[in-house]
Amino acid sequence: MPFELGIDYGIRQESHSYKRILVLEGERRSYSIALSDIASRDIHAHENKPEKLVGVIRDWLINNEMTKNRDGERKIWAYYLNFQAFLFEELVSIRGFSEEDTEKISVKGYTELVEKWKENQ
């Protein structure tokens, strides 16, 4: 990931664009091993906890004025769990996918299921 981040950051600097970059890490300060050049940047740790990751991303989106949604991380996490249950039910119970095959669904198929789930919320 350091290589991809470097390319993205370099393009941003060269083009003088205002591109926002969210840098995440599982454990605080673990980036310093490979990315000492970004030590002064705001890097967000999530402690390898998915629920905390949701809150970190939520806060970043709000702080960068990229969403008007102000739901708390627990509510967003509940939506996520609800969607995962819907996805499993739809793919395994209704459409006959194996559990392993659920991870191989196409982007188009996944997008259609997201839309179906949203309609029922």
Side-chain angles (χ1 to χ4, degrees), residues 83-97 102 105 109 112-113 116-117 120:
F83 173 71
Q84 289 300 312
F86 162 81
L87 194 61
F88 185 85
E89 176 71 21
E90 183 72 27
L91 292 175
V92 175
S93 300
I94 297 173
R95 297 187 186 190
F97 279 65
T102 60
I105 188 169
E112 289 170 355
L113 288 170
K116 183 176 179 179
W117 178 77
N120 294 317

Short mmCIF file of all heavy atoms in Angstrom, two decimals, residues 83-97 102 105 109 112-113 116-117 120:
data_model
loop_
_atom_site.label_atom_id
_atom_site.label_comp_id
_atom_site.label_asym_id
_atom_site.label_seq_id
_atom_site.Cartn_x
_atom_site.Cartn_y
_atom_site.Cartn_z
N PHE A 83 -27.72 -5.48 6.43
CA PHE A 83 -27.47 -5.72 5.00
C PHE A 83 -26.76 -7.06 4.80
O PHE A 83 -27.10 -7.81 3.88
CB PHE A 83 -26.64 -4.59 4.39
CG PHE A 83 -26.22 -4.89 2.98
CD1 PHE A 83 -27.17 -4.89 1.96
CD2 PHE A 83 -24.91 -5.19 2.68
CE1 PHE A 83 -26.80 -5.18 0.65
CE2 PHE A 83 -24.53 -5.49 1.38
CZ PHE A 83 -25.48 -5.49 0.37
N GLN A 84 -25.80 -7.39 5.63
CA GLN A 84 -25.09 -8.65 5.50
C GLN A 84 -26.05 -9.84 5.68
O GLN A 84 -25.95 -10.84 4.95
CB GLN A 84 -23.94 -8.74 6.51
CG GLN A 84 -22.78 -7.83 6.19
CD GLN A 84 -22.16 -8.12 4.85
OE1 GLN A 84 -21.87 -9.26 4.50
NE2 GLN A 84 -21.95 -7.07 4.07
N ALA A 85 -26.99 -9.73 6.62
CA ALA A 85 -27.99 -10.79 6.81
C ALA A 85 -28.88 -10.90 5.58
O ALA A 85 -29.18 -12.01 5.11
CB ALA A 85 -28.82 -10.49 8.05
N PHE A 86 -29.31 -9.75 5.04
CA PHE A 86 -30.11 -9.73 3.82
C PHE A 86 -29.35 -10.39 2.67
O PHE A 86 -29.89 -11.21 1.93
CB PHE A 86 -30.50 -8.29 3.45
CG PHE A 86 -30.94 -8.13 2.03
CD1 PHE A 86 -32.24 -8.45 1.66
CD2 PHE A 86 -30.06 -7.69 1.06
CE1 PHE A 86 -32.65 -8.33 0.34
CE2 PHE A 86 -30.45 -7.56 -0.25
CZ PHE A 86 -31.76 -7.88 -0.62
N LEU A 87 -28.09 -10.02 2.52
CA LEU A 87 -27.26 -10.54 1.43
C LEU A 87 -27.12 -12.06 1.52
O LEU A 87 -27.28 -12.77 0.53
CB LEU A 87 -25.89 -9.87 1.49
CG LEU A 87 -24.98 -9.99 0.30
CD1 LEU A 87 -25.60 -9.36 -0.94
CD2 LEU A 87 -23.64 -9.31 0.59
N PHE A 88 -26.85 -12.54 2.72
CA PHE A 88 -26.72 -13.98 2.92
C PHE A 88 -28.03 -14.69 2.59
O PHE A 88 -28.04 -15.69 1.86
CB PHE A 88 -26.29 -14.28 4.36
CG PHE A 88 -26.01 -15.73 4.60
CD1 PHE A 88 -24.77 -16.26 4.32
CD2 PHE A 88 -27.01 -16.57 5.10
CE1 PHE A 88 -24.51 -17.61 4.53
CE2 PHE A 88 -26.76 -17.91 5.31
CZ PHE A 88 -25.51 -18.44 5.03
N GLU A 89 -29.12 -14.18 3.12
CA GLU A 89 -30.44 -14.78 2.87
C GLU A 89 -30.75 -14.81 1.37
O GLU A 89 -31.17 -15.83 0.82
CB GLU A 89 -31.52 -13.99 3.61
CG GLU A 89 -32.94 -14.46 3.36
CD GLU A 89 -33.26 -15.80 4.00
OE1 GLU A 89 -32.56 -16.20 4.95
OE2 GLU A 89 -34.22 -16.44 3.54
N GLU A 90 -30.53 -13.68 0.72
CA GLU A 90 -30.82 -13.56 -0.72
C GLU A 90 -29.96 -14.51 -1.55
O GLU A 90 -30.47 -15.21 -2.42
CB GLU A 90 -30.61 -12.11 -1.16
CG GLU A 90 -30.94 -11.83 -2.60
CD GLU A 90 -32.42 -11.82 -2.93
OE1 GLU A 90 -33.24 -11.53 -2.04
OE2 GLU A 90 -32.75 -12.11 -4.10
N LEU A 91 -28.69 -14.54 -1.28
CA LEU A 91 -27.79 -15.34 -2.11
C LEU A 91 -27.83 -16.82 -1.78
O LEU A 91 -27.91 -17.66 -2.67
CB LEU A 91 -26.35 -14.82 -1.99
CG LEU A 91 -26.10 -13.44 -2.58
CD1 LEU A 91 -24.68 -12.99 -2.29
CD2 LEU A 91 -26.37 -13.43 -4.08
N VAL A 92 -27.77 -17.16 -0.50
CA VAL A 92 -27.67 -18.58 -0.11
C VAL A 92 -29.04 -19.23 -0.07
O VAL A 92 -29.27 -20.26 -0.72
CB VAL A 92 -26.93 -18.72 1.24
CG1 VAL A 92 -26.93 -20.17 1.71
CG2 VAL A 92 -25.51 -18.19 1.12
N SER A 93 -29.97 -18.64 0.67
CA SER A 93 -31.27 -19.29 0.86
C SER A 93 -32.18 -19.18 -0.36
O SER A 93 -32.87 -20.13 -0.71
CB SER A 93 -31.99 -18.69 2.07
OG SER A 93 -31.21 -18.88 3.23
N ILE A 94 -32.18 -18.03 -1.01
CA ILE A 94 -33.11 -17.82 -2.13
C ILE A 94 -32.49 -18.21 -3.47
O ILE A 94 -33.12 -18.91 -4.27
CB ILE A 94 -33.61 -16.36 -2.15
CG1 ILE A 94 -34.41 -16.08 -0.88
CG2 ILE A 94 -34.44 -16.07 -3.40
CD1 ILE A 94 -34.81 -14.63 -0.69
N ARG A 95 -31.27 -17.80 -3.73
CA ARG A 95 -30.66 -18.02 -5.05
C ARG A 95 -29.77 -19.26 -5.13
O ARG A 95 -29.28 -19.60 -6.20
CB ARG A 95 -29.85 -16.80 -5.47
CG ARG A 95 -30.73 -15.57 -5.62
CD ARG A 95 -29.96 -14.42 -6.19
NE ARG A 95 -30.77 -13.21 -6.21
CZ ARG A 95 -30.41 -12.11 -6.82
NH1 ARG A 95 -29.27 -12.05 -7.47
NH2 ARG A 95 -31.19 -11.05 -6.79
N GLY A 96 -29.53 -19.92 -4.00
CA GLY A 96 -28.79 -21.17 -4.01
C GLY A 96 -27.28 -21.07 -4.15
O GLY A 96 -26.63 -22.03 -4.55
N PHE A 97 -26.70 -19.93 -3.83
CA PHE A 97 -25.24 -19.81 -3.83
C PHE A 97 -24.67 -20.61 -2.67
O PHE A 97 -25.31 -20.74 -1.63
CB PHE A 97 -24.83 -18.35 -3.61
CG PHE A 97 -24.88 -17.47 -4.83
CD1 PHE A 97 -26.07 -17.19 -5.48
CD2 PHE A 97 -23.71 -16.89 -5.31
CE1 PHE A 97 -26.12 -16.37 -6.58
CE2 PHE A 97 -23.74 -16.05 -6.41
CZ PHE A 97 -24.94 -15.80 -7.06
N THR A 102 -20.63 -16.65 -2.43
CA THR A 102 -21.19 -15.31 -2.17
C THR A 102 -20.14 -14.23 -2.34
O THR A 102 -20.47 -13.08 -2.64
CB THR A 102 -21.79 -15.22 -0.74
OG1 THR A 102 -20.76 -15.47 0.22
CG2 THR A 102 -22.95 -16.19 -0.56
N ILE A 105 -19.71 -12.76 -6.25
CA ILE A 105 -20.79 -12.09 -6.96
C ILE A 105 -20.23 -10.89 -7.75
O ILE A 105 -19.30 -10.23 -7.29
CB ILE A 105 -21.91 -11.65 -5.99
CG1 ILE A 105 -23.11 -11.12 -6.76
CG2 ILE A 105 -21.41 -10.66 -4.97
CD1 ILE A 105 -24.34 -10.92 -5.92
N GLY A 109 -24.23 -7.45 -9.92
CA GLY A 109 -25.13 -8.21 -9.06
C GLY A 109 -25.18 -7.66 -7.65
O GLY A 109 -26.24 -7.55 -7.03
N GLU A 112 -27.11 -4.36 -7.61
CA GLU A 112 -28.56 -4.61 -7.69
C GLU A 112 -29.10 -5.04 -6.32
O GLU A 112 -30.21 -4.63 -5.94
CB GLU A 112 -28.84 -5.68 -8.74
CG GLU A 112 -28.63 -5.18 -10.16
CD GLU A 112 -28.69 -6.29 -11.20
OE1 GLU A 112 -28.79 -7.49 -10.82
OE2 GLU A 112 -28.61 -5.96 -12.39
N LEU A 113 -28.35 -5.85 -5.60
CA LEU A 113 -28.79 -6.28 -4.27
C LEU A 113 -28.78 -5.11 -3.28
O LEU A 113 -29.66 -5.02 -2.42
CB LEU A 113 -27.94 -7.43 -3.76
CG LEU A 113 -28.19 -8.76 -4.49
CD1 LEU A 113 -27.14 -9.78 -4.10
CD2 LEU A 113 -29.58 -9.28 -4.19
N LYS A 116 -31.92 -3.23 -3.99
CA LYS A 116 -33.08 -3.97 -3.48
C LYS A 116 -33.19 -3.81 -1.96
O LYS A 116 -34.27 -3.58 -1.43
CB LYS A 116 -32.96 -5.44 -3.85
CG LYS A 116 -34.15 -6.27 -3.42
CD LYS A 116 -34.03 -7.71 -3.91
CE LYS A 116 -35.20 -8.53 -3.45
NZ LYS A 116 -35.12 -9.93 -3.92
N TRP A 117 -32.06 -3.92 -1.27
CA TRP A 117 -32.06 -3.78 0.18
C TRP A 117 -32.50 -2.37 0.57
O TRP A 117 -33.30 -2.20 1.49
CB TRP A 117 -30.67 -4.08 0.73
CG TRP A 117 -30.54 -3.90 2.21
CD1 TRP A 117 -31.00 -4.75 3.17
CD2 TRP A 117 -29.95 -2.80 2.89
NE1 TRP A 117 -30.70 -4.24 4.42
CE2 TRP A 117 -30.06 -3.04 4.27
CE3 TRP A 117 -29.31 -1.63 2.46
CZ2 TRP A 117 -29.56 -2.17 5.22
CZ3 TRP A 117 -28.82 -0.76 3.42
CH2 TRP A 117 -28.96 -1.03 4.78
N ASN A 120 -36.20 -1.66 0.58
CA ASN A 120 -36.95 -2.29 1.67
C ASN A 120 -36.65 -1.67 3.04
O ASN A 120 -37.15 -2.16 4.05
CB ASN A 120 -36.67 -3.79 1.70
CG ASN A 120 -37.19 -4.46 0.48
OD1 ASN A 120 -38.29 -4.19 0.02
ND2 ASN A 120 -36.41 -5.36 -0.10
#
